[in-house]
Amino acid sequence: MSRFAVVLFLIFVVGCSAGPKVSSRPSDPGSTSTRGPIEVEIFDGVNARRAGGNLAALEWSEMLSALAGEHSDAMAAGQVPFGHAGIGARLGAALEAEGSQKGAENVSKQPRAASEVAPKSIERWLASDAHRKNMLGPYRTTGVGVSRAADGKYFVTQIFVQ
């Protein structure tokens, strides 16, 4: 068997047996996160707000991040309008994978510099009763996905699961 075939086999076996990657932070050593610094900043910012209210920190889920990222990608590409289109399917997949019965989602659109996306998204979510309730709700796991559209706007999705 060629080296290439062995590597593909190992990737398949490890990927199928590993289950969803959950860590305390997406940049932990050993994390397989494919997301970038904006996602980490949002994750850390939301957890800082939760800590201020004596709430438990959320754990990072790669599976939830992938679902969130797919939605942000679709919004950025104009395949779905900005908002919660398809939330039933996303949350259904998230709840089934996490063995939960409660989930929520926040989205944000930011026509700003990358350095402002996380703080402005969190600020807007805190200003909205429904979004604040999601951020500070009885959830244990989260995933964040951010995509940039061709016009420079950023689309953010954060999924929460109890």
Side-chain angles (χ1 to χ4, degrees):
M1 192 178 331
S2 73
R3 273 189 185 182
F4 180 72
V6 169
V7 169
L8 285 178
F9 174 76
L10 289 174
I11 289 171
F12 176 77
V13 169
V14 170
C16 289
S17 64
K21 170 73 174 158
V22 177
S23 66
S24 61
R25 190 163 187 267
S27 58
D28 278 349
S31 171
T32 58
S33 177
T34 57
R35 293 292 162 177
I38 297 173
E39 287 88 343
V40 172
E41 189 177 355
I42 290 169
F43 176 76
D44 288 344
V46 168
N47 272 334
R49 296 294 179 164
R50 291 176 64 84
N54 294 319
L55 299 170
L58 297 166
E59 293 182 351
W60 180 266
S61 166
E62 281 303 317
M63 191 276 305
L64 295 180
S65 182
L67 285 172
E70 289 171 11
H71 183 56
S72 292
D73 291 346
M75 289 188 294
Q79 296 167 342
V80 298
F82 170 69
H84 299 284
I87 190 171
R90 263 188 314 286
L91 285 184
L95 296 175
E96 183 177 337
E98 295 287 331
S100 181
Q101 299 209 358
K102 184 172 182 178
E105 176 182 86
N106 284 352
V107 295
S108 175
K109 178 171 62 173
Q110 299 294 325
R112 306 178 181 283
S115 64
E116 296 181 29
V117 173
K120 290 298 182 185
S121 293
I122 292 169
E123 178 183 304
R124 287 186 177 173
W125 291 337
L126 287 169
S128 159
D129 289 340
H131 292 97
R132 184 176 56 256
K133 182 178 177 183
N134 292 343
M135 283 177 55
L136 305 177
Y139 300 105
R140 62 176 167 76
T141 309
T142 192
V144 182
V146 178
S147 293
R148 188 172 185 203
D151 66 2
K153 290 185 178 99
Y154 289 87
F155 291 83
V156 179
T157 305
Q158 183 168 23
I159 297 174
F160 304 87
V161 172
Q162 190 174 35

